Amino acid sequence: MKRVIAMKVTVYGAGNQKLYTDELNLPERYGGEAPYGGSRMAMEFAMAGHDVILAEPSREFLDDEQWSMVEEAGVTVTDNDKEAASEAEVAVLFTPFGKGTFSIAREILPELPEGSVIANTCTVSPVVLYYVLEKELKLERTDVGVSSMHPAAVPGTPQHGHYVIGGRPTAELDMATDEQVSRCAELAESTGKKAYIVPADVTSAVADMGSLVTAVALAGVLDYYYVGTQIIKAPEEMVEKQILMTLQTMASLVETSGVDGMAAAINPELLVKSARSMHLLDEQEELDAALKKISDLNDDVMKWIEGAEVNHTDLVAAQALTGELKTVIGDRAAEGTIRRCMRKMFE
Amino acid sequence: MKRVIAMKVTVYGAGNQKLYTDELNLPERYGGEAPYGGSRMAMEFAMAGHDVILAEPSREFLDDEQWSMVEEAGVTVTDNDKEAASEAEVAVLFTPFGKGTFSIAREILPELPEGSVIANTCTVSPVVLYYVLEKELKLERTDVGVSSMHPAAVPGTPQHGHYVIGGRPTAELDMATDEQVSRCAELAESTGKKAYIVPADVTSAVADMGSLVTAVALAGVLDYYYVGTQIIKAPEEMVEKQILMTLQTMASLVETSGVDGMAAAINPELLVKSARSMHLLDEQEELDAALKKISDLNDDVMKWIEGAEVNHTDLVAAQALTGELKTVIGDRAAEGTIRRCMRKMFE
């Protein structure tokens, strides 16, 4: 067994247990028991031998019995975010979606010890978190890193067997040192869970709720790649271009016209007929299931799609465009534009 | 029954029957009989009462018996592309992929009669065809339009029950008049097939081979949209952003790093674990099938993925970026850049 070196860890946000048990009905749907969320993460870190603080100003998020469980696991509870930051080698943000998380991050950054790493969970993209703090990270706190400790499931449920850790991003932003990334991975693994290190800007696609779409689309892409290159024997490059084109077309139509507008433009009835011709193997189960699903849309869904508007869309290869932009206005000026368009996608 | 007004139609390209029967094994795989492809389209147009020319310089693409079938259907066969254009109210390009099609299109454009419409099939995007001819279409031949008569299946197989017609594009290019689009739709319907009018720049995503990917991804998107908004009750806007983000991330990773690089970045093993948490309904068959498929990748595929490199990628919302580009360098200058990046996607 790997020897665990105790770390000082602060978890921000305990998780609203009423939401988990009453509204989302987790005990019945997934199993496990309250407290779920940030408080469960804190308990698991403490039980792995770390020195853990849970910062939560909303006392009502847990009932008295649940708070006792947290403390019995060895977690120190506080309502003071700033104080909780002062020794945190890892500061995990299990905080609300959007601005709430930004203001906590801004508040604690000056208080963090030398070399600390801030890790998001499911409520914000690590890239957006980095951009929100970028000025301070580049001037005053060059020692602090940004990574992820994304549970990709609700902590406290049996599904939570892994963490997604934000590694070196594909866009070469200087978000965290290798040591800071490894520190997050070690913290995750010390709880007996598996740590997956993924480029920081890709974590959202594989760890947030939308991972359903990523998984289904990946199955379709791999199926088509095989059929296209091995059965139809089309050139690899052509098959890859087609994959880029279909995914980019769908993404851009959703961006300008919503899911209903995208579906209206691509016309499910037609799509079933076209895609059926690509059924060339005995086993293309994801295609069978997809064709069945989109052949069988109920009247409400069809009305919603048929009533949608398709807005102006410039269908372009996005990476070709970022490349052209850098050539036309220069790398430095392009950087600002690219950042704004990245935030439009992740925020 | 709708009264059919006879049109003058020229089909360019008969289709290589050896490829269809010997290599692709269509009679066994799909049914139907040779001649398949452009020659079958020409036969069907002629049998619907139109005045049809089939232009094909490669006599060896059909055997003698097949050529007789074409002529018995009432089609005039020629090897002279230019002459075949002179009366064509609709000129259908069932011509080779890429440059072959461009040079035929350029050669016949000056010969076409007033108000003619050029229609692509599966070998070129109508948008690319438009851009290739744009100078002439904007100066000398403002009367000629560009649309599609995309069979979205191999003509001659029982699967070919419809045509995809290129309508007004989402990018507001002035490609064809409403009458020219209707003319293509009427030609399609006169053969007893259904005509689907789709924005010209969207036809590739729903009619080419990659429609397999579009169909499977659409099933995933609609599933997640329902689960996200109705079961998890997340705000619609947030669910839509997640869909944009997942599709855009995959598209851009394929663009910079290929299918293997994309799969390496998103990590199939991790993805299965994350997406499984989104199984919240009894019936999510496309998700079940996708999870099964990507859990079960064989060793060769896993080696291919694990050996892949993930290259620099700037993950941005593409439509936000085209918008910024127009603001920064002006609509006119942006137009040229957008056009190049559109061709990079469709060509």
PDB file of all heavy atoms in Angstrom, chain A residues 95-114:
ATOM      1  N   THR A  95     -18.318  24.821  -4.292  1.00  0.00           N
ATOM      2  CA  THR A  95     -19.073  26.060  -4.054  1.00  0.00           C
ATOM      3  C   THR A  95     -20.124  26.252  -5.143  1.00  0.00           C
ATOM      4  O   THR A  95     -20.099  25.548  -6.152  1.00  0.00           O
ATOM      5  CB  THR A  95     -18.058  27.217  -4.050  1.00  0.00           C
ATOM      6  OG1 THR A  95     -17.090  26.983  -5.083  1.00  0.00           O
ATOM      7  CG2 THR A  95     -17.322  27.284  -2.719  1.00  0.00           C
ATOM      8  N   PRO A  96     -21.039  27.238  -4.979  1.00  0.00           N
ATOM      9  CA  PRO A  96     -22.143  27.376  -5.941  1.00  0.00           C
ATOM     10  C   PRO A  96     -21.682  27.658  -7.373  1.00  0.00           C
ATOM     11  O   PRO A  96     -20.567  28.127  -7.597  1.00  0.00           O
ATOM     12  CB  PRO A  96     -22.924  28.582  -5.399  1.00  0.00           C
ATOM     13  CG  PRO A  96     -22.530  28.716  -3.975  1.00  0.00           C
ATOM     14  CD  PRO A  96     -21.139  28.213  -3.885  1.00  0.00           C
ATOM     15  N   PHE A  97     -22.577  27.412  -8.322  1.00  0.00           N
ATOM     16  CA  PHE A  97     -22.326  27.729  -9.726  1.00  0.00           C
ATOM     17  C   PHE A  97     -22.066  29.225  -9.892  1.00  0.00           C
ATOM     18  O   PHE A  97     -22.676  30.039  -9.212  1.00  0.00           O
ATOM     19  CB  PHE A  97     -23.536  27.329 -10.584  1.00  0.00           C
ATOM     20  CG  PHE A  97     -23.596  25.854 -10.833  1.00  0.00           C
ATOM     21  CD1 PHE A  97     -24.381  25.029 -10.040  1.00  0.00           C
ATOM     22  CD2 PHE A  97     -22.860  25.277 -11.853  1.00  0.00           C
ATOM     23  CE1 PHE A  97     -24.434  23.661 -10.260  1.00  0.00           C
ATOM     24  CE2 PHE A  97     -22.906  23.904 -12.079  1.00  0.00           C
ATOM     25  CZ  PHE A  97     -23.694  23.100 -11.285  1.00  0.00           C
ATOM     26  N   GLY A  98     -21.162  29.563 -10.780  1.00  0.00           N
ATOM     27  CA  GLY A  98     -20.994  30.943 -11.229  1.00  0.00           C
ATOM     28  C   GLY A  98     -20.340  31.881 -10.237  1.00  0.00           C
ATOM     29  O   GLY A  98     -19.349  31.528  -9.592  1.00  0.00           O
ATOM     30  N   LYS A  99     -20.910  33.079 -10.116  1.00  0.00           N
ATOM     31  CA  LYS A  99     -20.278  34.194  -9.409  1.00  0.00           C
ATOM     32  C   LYS A  99     -19.938  33.880  -7.963  1.00  0.00           C
ATOM     33  O   LYS A  99     -18.958  34.383  -7.429  1.00  0.00           O
ATOM     34  CB  LYS A  99     -21.158  35.440  -9.492  1.00  0.00           C
ATOM     35  CG  LYS A  99     -21.371  35.916 -10.929  1.00  0.00           C
ATOM     36  CD  LYS A  99     -21.348  37.431 -11.052  1.00  0.00           C
ATOM     37  CE  LYS A  99     -21.158  37.873 -12.497  1.00  0.00           C
ATOM     38  NZ  LYS A  99     -22.357  37.640 -13.346  1.00  0.00           N
ATOM     39  N   GLY A 100     -20.766  33.082  -7.295  1.00  0.00           N
ATOM     40  CA  GLY A 100     -20.498  32.711  -5.903  1.00  0.00           C
ATOM     41  C   GLY A 100     -19.104  32.113  -5.758  1.00  0.00           C
ATOM     42  O   GLY A 100     -18.338  32.487  -4.862  1.00  0.00           O
ATOM     43  N   THR A 101     -18.787  31.214  -6.670  1.00  0.00           N
ATOM     44  CA  THR A 101     -17.470  30.582  -6.644  1.00  0.00           C
ATOM     45  C   THR A 101     -16.354  31.585  -6.948  1.00  0.00           C
ATOM     46  O   THR A 101     -15.305  31.579  -6.299  1.00  0.00           O
ATOM     47  CB  THR A 101     -17.434  29.417  -7.656  1.00  0.00           C
ATOM     48  OG1 THR A 101     -18.232  28.354  -7.130  1.00  0.00           O
ATOM     49  CG2 THR A 101     -16.013  28.914  -7.882  1.00  0.00           C
ATOM     50  N   PHE A 102     -16.595  32.486  -7.914  1.00  0.00           N
ATOM     51  CA  PHE A 102     -15.565  33.485  -8.249  1.00  0.00           C
ATOM     52  C   PHE A 102     -15.220  34.335  -7.027  1.00  0.00           C
ATOM     53  O   PHE A 102     -14.056  34.610  -6.762  1.00  0.00           O
ATOM     54  CB  PHE A 102     -16.029  34.417  -9.379  1.00  0.00           C
ATOM     55  CG  PHE A 102     -16.364  33.717 -10.659  1.00  0.00           C
ATOM     56  CD1 PHE A 102     -17.098  34.361 -11.652  1.00  0.00           C
ATOM     57  CD2 PHE A 102     -15.949  32.405 -10.899  1.00  0.00           C
ATOM     58  CE1 PHE A 102     -17.409  33.730 -12.844  1.00  0.00           C
ATOM     59  CE2 PHE A 102     -16.256  31.763 -12.092  1.00  0.00           C
ATOM     60  CZ  PHE A 102     -16.995  32.431 -13.056  1.00  0.00           C
ATOM     61  N   SER A 103     -16.254  34.765  -6.280  1.00  0.00           N
ATOM     62  CA  SER A 103     -15.939  35.692  -5.192  1.00  0.00           C
ATOM     63  C   SER A 103     -15.242  34.966  -4.038  1.00  0.00           C
ATOM     64  O   SER A 103     -14.351  35.535  -3.409  1.00  0.00           O
ATOM     65  CB  SER A 103     -17.183  36.471  -4.733  1.00  0.00           C
ATOM     66  OG  SER A 103     -18.138  35.588  -4.240  1.00  0.00           O
ATOM     67  N   ILE A 104     -15.593  33.723  -3.790  1.00  0.00           N
ATOM     68  CA  ILE A 104     -14.856  32.972  -2.765  1.00  0.00           C
ATOM     69  C   ILE A 104     -13.396  32.792  -3.201  1.00  0.00           C
ATOM     70  O   ILE A 104     -12.469  33.004  -2.423  1.00  0.00           O
ATOM     71  CB  ILE A 104     -15.519  31.603  -2.493  1.00  0.00           C
ATOM     72  CG1 ILE A 104     -16.904  31.806  -1.856  1.00  0.00           C
ATOM     73  CG2 ILE A 104     -14.639  30.736  -1.583  1.00  0.00           C
ATOM     74  CD1 ILE A 104     -17.750  30.555  -1.746  1.00  0.00           C
ATOM     75  N   ALA A 105     -13.200  32.440  -4.478  1.00  0.00           N
ATOM     76  CA  ALA A 105     -11.838  32.231  -4.975  1.00  0.00           C
ATOM     77  C   ALA A 105     -11.010  33.505  -4.833  1.00  0.00           C
ATOM     78  O   ALA A 105      -9.858  33.479  -4.388  1.00  0.00           O
ATOM     79  CB  ALA A 105     -11.875  31.778  -6.431  1.00  0.00           C
ATOM     80  N   ARG A 106     -11.604  34.650  -5.196  1.00  0.00           N
ATOM     81  CA  ARG A 106     -10.890  35.931  -5.093  1.00  0.00           C
ATOM     82  C   ARG A 106     -10.582  36.268  -3.640  1.00  0.00           C
ATOM     83  O   ARG A 106      -9.533  36.823  -3.335  1.00  0.00           O
ATOM     84  CB  ARG A 106     -11.747  37.053  -5.690  1.00  0.00           C
ATOM     85  CG  ARG A 106     -11.686  37.109  -7.182  1.00  0.00           C
ATOM     86  CD  ARG A 106     -11.903  38.550  -7.700  1.00  0.00           C
ATOM     87  NE  ARG A 106     -12.133  38.508  -9.126  1.00  0.00           N
ATOM     88  CZ  ARG A 106     -13.335  38.355  -9.688  1.00  0.00           C
ATOM     89  NH1 ARG A 106     -14.418  38.260  -8.933  1.00  0.00           N
ATOM     90  NH2 ARG A 106     -13.448  38.298 -10.992  1.00  0.00           N
ATOM     91  N   GLU A 107     -11.519  35.924  -2.758  1.00  0.00           N
ATOM     92  CA  GLU A 107     -11.353  36.266  -1.345  1.00  0.00           C
ATOM     93  C   GLU A 107     -10.229  35.437  -0.704  1.00  0.00           C
ATOM     94  O   GLU A 107      -9.466  35.949   0.115  1.00  0.00           O
ATOM     95  CB  GLU A 107     -12.675  35.995  -0.623  1.00  0.00           C
ATOM     96  CG  GLU A 107     -12.779  36.687   0.714  1.00  0.00           C
ATOM     97  CD  GLU A 107     -13.981  36.190   1.507  1.00  0.00           C
ATOM     98  OE1 GLU A 107     -14.784  35.397   0.941  1.00  0.00           O
ATOM     99  OE2 GLU A 107     -14.100  36.566   2.676  1.00  0.00           O
ATOM    100  N   ILE A 108     -10.143  34.173  -1.066  1.00  0.00           N
ATOM    101  CA  ILE A 108      -9.172  33.322  -0.362  1.00  0.00           C
ATOM    102  C   ILE A 108      -7.773  33.369  -0.968  1.00  0.00           C
ATOM    103  O   ILE A 108      -6.793  33.077  -0.283  1.00  0.00           O
ATOM    104  CB  ILE A 108      -9.641  31.843  -0.281  1.00  0.00           C
ATOM    105  CG1 ILE A 108      -9.710  31.188  -1.677  1.00  0.00           C
ATOM    106  CG2 ILE A 108     -10.983  31.741   0.446  1.00  0.00           C
ATOM    107  CD1 ILE A 108      -9.905  29.680  -1.640  1.00  0.00           C
ATOM    108  N   LEU A 109      -7.691  33.761  -2.267  1.00  0.00           N
ATOM    109  CA  LEU A 109      -6.382  33.703  -2.936  1.00  0.00           C
ATOM    110  C   LEU A 109      -5.251  34.377  -2.145  1.00  0.00           C
ATOM    111  O   LEU A 109      -4.179  33.777  -1.966  1.00  0.00           O
ATOM    112  CB  LEU A 109      -6.501  34.277  -4.359  1.00  0.00           C
ATOM    113  CG  LEU A 109      -5.226  34.302  -5.209  1.00  0.00           C
ATOM    114  CD1 LEU A 109      -4.600  32.926  -5.337  1.00  0.00           C
ATOM    115  CD2 LEU A 109      -5.506  34.874  -6.603  1.00  0.00           C
ATOM    116  N   PRO A 110      -5.455  35.611  -1.625  1.00  0.00           N
ATOM    117  CA  PRO A 110      -4.331  36.251  -0.917  1.00  0.00           C
ATOM    118  C   PRO A 110      -3.954  35.548   0.385  1.00  0.00           C
ATOM    119  O   PRO A 110      -2.848  35.733   0.894  1.00  0.00           O
ATOM    120  CB  PRO A 110      -4.879  37.656  -0.600  1.00  0.00           C
ATOM    121  CG  PRO A 110      -6.106  37.827  -1.420  1.00  0.00           C
ATOM    122  CD  PRO A 110      -6.644  36.467  -1.689  1.00  0.00           C
ATOM    123  N   GLU A 111      -4.878  34.736   0.911  1.00  0.00           N
ATOM    124  CA  GLU A 111      -4.658  34.106   2.212  1.00  0.00           C
ATOM    125  C   GLU A 111      -3.927  32.764   2.105  1.00  0.00           C
ATOM    126  O   GLU A 111      -3.442  32.235   3.103  1.00  0.00           O
ATOM    127  CB  GLU A 111      -6.002  33.841   2.914  1.00  0.00           C
ATOM    128  CG  GLU A 111      -6.995  34.991   2.874  1.00  0.00           C
ATOM    129  CD  GLU A 111      -6.464  36.211   3.607  1.00  0.00           C
ATOM    130  OE1 GLU A 111      -5.744  36.022   4.616  1.00  0.00           O
ATOM    131  OE2 GLU A 111      -6.752  37.350   3.158  1.00  0.00           O
ATOM    132  N   LEU A 112      -3.900  32.186   0.897  1.00  0.00           N
ATOM    133  CA  LEU A 112      -3.362  30.828   0.748  1.00  0.00           C
ATOM    134  C   LEU A 112      -1.863  30.778   1.029  1.00  0.00           C
ATOM    135  O   LEU A 112      -1.143  31.749   0.751  1.00  0.00           O
ATOM    136  CB  LEU A 112      -3.628  30.303  -0.670  1.00  0.00           C
ATOM    137  CG  LEU A 112      -5.095  30.029  -1.014  1.00  0.00           C
ATOM    138  CD1 LEU A 112      -5.244  29.754  -2.514  1.00  0.00           C
ATOM    139  CD2 LEU A 112      -5.638  28.849  -0.211  1.00  0.00           C
ATOM    140  N   PRO A 113      -1.350  29.666   1.556  1.00  0.00           N
ATOM    141  CA  PRO A 113       0.089  29.554   1.813  1.00  0.00           C
ATOM    142  C   PRO A 113       0.863  29.384   0.497  1.00  0.00           C
ATOM    143  O   PRO A 113       0.280  29.038  -0.535  1.00  0.00           O
ATOM    144  CB  PRO A 113       0.183  28.281   2.662  1.00  0.00           C
ATOM    145  CG  PRO A 113      -0.972  27.457   2.244  1.00  0.00           C
ATOM    146  CD  PRO A 113      -2.076  28.436   1.931  1.00  0.00           C
ATOM    147  N   GLU A 114       2.135  29.602   0.578  1.00  0.00           N
ATOM    148  CA  GLU A 114       3.058  29.458  -0.563  1.00  0.00           C
ATOM    149  C   GLU A 114       2.843  28.112  -1.286  1.00  0.00           C
ATOM    150  O   GLU A 114       2.831  27.052  -0.650  1.00  0.00           O
ATOM    151  CB  GLU A 114       4.502  29.520  -0.010  1.00  0.00           C
ATOM    152  CG  GLU A 114       5.621  29.331  -1.008  1.00  0.00           C
ATOM    153  CD  GLU A 114       5.874  30.581  -1.851  1.00  0.00           C
ATOM    154  OE1 GLU A 114       5.454  31.682  -1.436  1.00  0.00           O
ATOM    155  OE2 GLU A 114       6.482  30.443  -2.932  1.00  0.00           O
TER     156      GLU A 114
END
